[in-house]
């Protein structure tokens, strides 16, 4: 059985480590796990140049604080490629968490298009209601999650005679091939194998 070994990958980016951001009232201040981006308003955006190497990132998680008395209740973070109005590949809903700024939580979404290699990612902060709440939230970090796909296929070998069970028929095992083979097989015969593939994703069988 052949396939590729799959290893889960996580890449964290601090919100304050932006390459560029909209020239607005946004600022950085102490909070969360160290520093957060604060004073965010609807349609603010932040630009990040992210290199995920040969990983395929399919999910994004945002760590944020949404003060229910000061932030939009329908706040969200749009994930776009190339520009603030570029291709939309995901939207993270960031609803209120508490009635203060000190409480942080996480929200995630699956991306409609995997992020691979080096990409310019724009996080656009969106929200409309209520009018009395001006802010989107405070933002600590985001994480891209996915898999690393190695170039070399993985394989697991199973000898035919190492079955867990087989049809009670005339089948036998005998010397042959690389040592022992299953022989005397008839139409409708079957063999049962329990195979542990670990974290490998197999997509091909060779006999």
């Amino acid at each position: 059985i052949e396939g590729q070994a799959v290893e889960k990958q996580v890449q964290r980016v601090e919100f304050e480590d932006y390459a560029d951001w909209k020239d607005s009232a946004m600022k950085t201040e102490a909070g969360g796990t160290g520093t957060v981006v604060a004073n965010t308003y609807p349609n603010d955006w932040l630009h990040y140049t992210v290199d995920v190497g040969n990983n395929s990132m399919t999910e994004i998680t945002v760590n944020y604080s949404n003060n229910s008395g000061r932030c939009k209740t329908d706040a969200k973070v749009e994930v776009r490629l190339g520009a603030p109005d570029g291709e939309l590949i995901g939207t993270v809903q960031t609803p209120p968490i508490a009635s203060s700024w000190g409480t942080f939580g996480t929200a995630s979404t699956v991306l409609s298009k995997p992020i691979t290699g080096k990409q310019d990612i724009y996080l656009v902060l969106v929200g409309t209601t209520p009018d009395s709440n001006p802010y989107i939230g405070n933002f600590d970090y985001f994480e891209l999650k996915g898999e690393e796909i190695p170039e070399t296929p993985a394989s697991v070998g199973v000898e035919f005679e190492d079955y867990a069970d087989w049809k009670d028929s005339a089948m036998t095992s005998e010397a042959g091939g690389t040592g022992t083979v299953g022989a005397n097989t008839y139409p409708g015969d079957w063999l049962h194998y329990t195979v542990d593939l670990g974290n490998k994703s197999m997509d091909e069988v060779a006999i």
Side-chain angles (χ1 to χ4, degrees):
I1 300 176
E2 296 184 353
Q4 295 174 320
V6 177
E7 181 179 351
K8 292 295 182 181
Q9 299 293 314
V10 178
Q11 185 165 327
R12 177 178 291 193
V13 180
E14 299 293 333
F15 256 83
E16 68 270 17
D17 292 338
Y18 54 85
D20 190 18
W21 66 2
K22 182 178 178 180
D23 185 12
S24 68
M26 283 189 291
K27 64 179 182 178
T28 59
E29 63 184 32
T33 59
T35 303
V36 301
V37 170
N39 215 42
T40 60
Y41 290 85
N43 300 315
D44 281 347
W45 55 261
L46 302 99
H47 165 213
Y48 302 87
T49 300
V50 178
D51 188 351
V52 301
N54 67 335
N55 299 322
S56 176
M57 300 308 203
T58 56
E59 181 181 345
I60 185 170
T61 296
V62 173
N63 185 274
Y64 74 100
S65 174
N66 181 319
N67 179 339
S68 62
R70 299 292 287 158
C71 295
K72 303 295 186 184
T73 58
D74 62 348
K76 52 194 168 188
V77 178
E78 294 182 344
V79 184
R80 295 182 177 269
L81 297 180
D85 59 351
E87 180 182 2
L88 177 64
I89 62 170
T91 301
V92 183
Q93 305 292 333
T94 55
I97 293 177
S99 58
S100 69
W101 289 111
T103 302
F104 282 77
T106 59
S108 302
T109 194
V110 174
L111 301 174
S112 62
K113 178 179 180 178
I115 294 174
T116 58
K118 189 174 183 179
Q119 297 281 352
D120 288 308
I121 299 173
Y122 286 77
L123 300 183
V124 183
L125 311 181
V126 180
T128 59
T129 58
D131 291 338
S132 57
N133 291 5
Y135 302 117
I136 299 298
N138 288 354
F139 296 89
D140 190 356
Y141 63 83
F142 66 92
E143 291 179 336
L144 298 173
K145 302 177 181 180
E147 300 174 347
E148 179 183 9
I149 307 298
E151 295 181 0
T152 304
S155 64
V156 174
V158 180
E159 296 292 333
F160 256 84
E161 68 271 16
D162 292 339
Y163 54 85
D165 190 16
W166 67 1
K167 181 179 180 180
D168 185 13
S169 69
M171 283 191 292
T172 63
S173 57
E174 63 184 35
T178 59
T180 304
V181 299
N184 214 39
T185 59
Y186 288 86
D189 282 349
W190 55 261
L191 301 97
H192 163 213
Y193 299 87
T194 300
V195 182
D196 185 356
L197 304 178
N199 68 339
K200 300 178 180 65
S201 176
M202 301 305 197
D203 55 16
E204 182 180 345
V205 174
I207 296 177

